[in-house]
Amino acid sequence: MRIDIVTVLPEMIEGALNCSILKRAQDKGLVQFGLHNLRDYTLDKHRRVDDYPFGGEAGMVLQIEPVDRCIEHLKSHRNYDEIIFTTPDGEQFTQKTANELSLLKNLIILCGHYKGVDYRVREHLITREVSIGDFVLTGGELAAAMIADAVVRVIPGVIGDEQSALSDSFQDNLLAPPVYTRPAEYKGWRVPEVLLSGHERKIAEWRLEQAHDRTKRLRPDLMK
Ligand code: ADE
């Protein structure tokens, strides 16, 4: 899979893509990232990519020209399955979205801009608008990094233990059960006995029960 991210702040995203599991996924050839600075695509000699809004609102607006030129440039190299725009008024990004996007071959993520983006970008260049939650960030960069992380992590082979991506919270609309490691007792706080029993069926039953209990208690909306 290839993910191209278009932004005015590539440095805000770079670190997130180039460490830990995402770094390893790139090294294994399971994903390729491209980071593209919008300022490289403007014809303005001062590298400006925003301008005053028509109609006299406050603040500056990201111009369509550099966005279009950048996307056209990317499209001249490959076909894209989706061109995503990160914005708080987009569809809610969920685990289901991550799973869906992970099946695609080539993806562009255009980061929203705190000052707003010429709406023609959204009308003509974008295929999908995504929000990571009902709150407003200063820009779409962290949202793009988060989307890339959630998508890449479910690509087969990215997480060493294939089973672990499937038993995550949200994969079956259930929160994950608790996990413990050594020591079995710390300050008198004991790990549930069943996990020490070696009894596989009982352990699996306990995990499922815990997942149901936690979901019912913490996220009853998921059980509907
Ligand atoms: N840009 C600013 N806030 C955002 C959000 N909640 N989701 C996606 N992009 C954003």
Side-chain angles (χ1 to χ4, degrees), residues 1 15 32 37-38 42 46 52 55 59 62 67 97 101 105 110 126-127 132 136 156 163 167 171 180 190 204 206:
M1 180 179 202
Q32 220 183 15
N37 190 336
L38 263 184
T42 177
H46 304 296
Y52 293 99
L62 198 62
V67 177
T97 329
L101 296 178
K105 198 159 178 289
L110 169 66
I126 292 302
T127 62
I132 59 162
V136 183
Q163 204 52 44
S167 61
Q171 282 293 12
Y180 300 86
R190 285 197 54 80
W206 179 86

Side-chain angles (χ1 to χ4, degrees), residues 85-90 112-114 130-141 143-144 147:
F85 178 60
T86 55
T87 175
D89 57 1
H113 194 50
Y114 74 99
V130 173
S131 165
I132 59 162
D134 287 342
F135 45 83
V136 183
L137 303 166
T138 54
E141 281 71 21
I147 291 166

Side-chain angles (χ1 to χ4, degrees), residues 22-45:
L22 298 198
K23 168 82 165 64
R24 202 157 7 106
Q26 293 178 78
D27 294 345
K28 284 193 205 164
L30 296 170
V31 68
Q32 220 183 15
F33 293 118
L35 266 177
H36 309 277
N37 190 336
L38 263 184
R39 291 186 200 283
D40 295 338
Y41 294 88
T42 177
L43 297 174
D44 182 82
K45 61 175 186 289

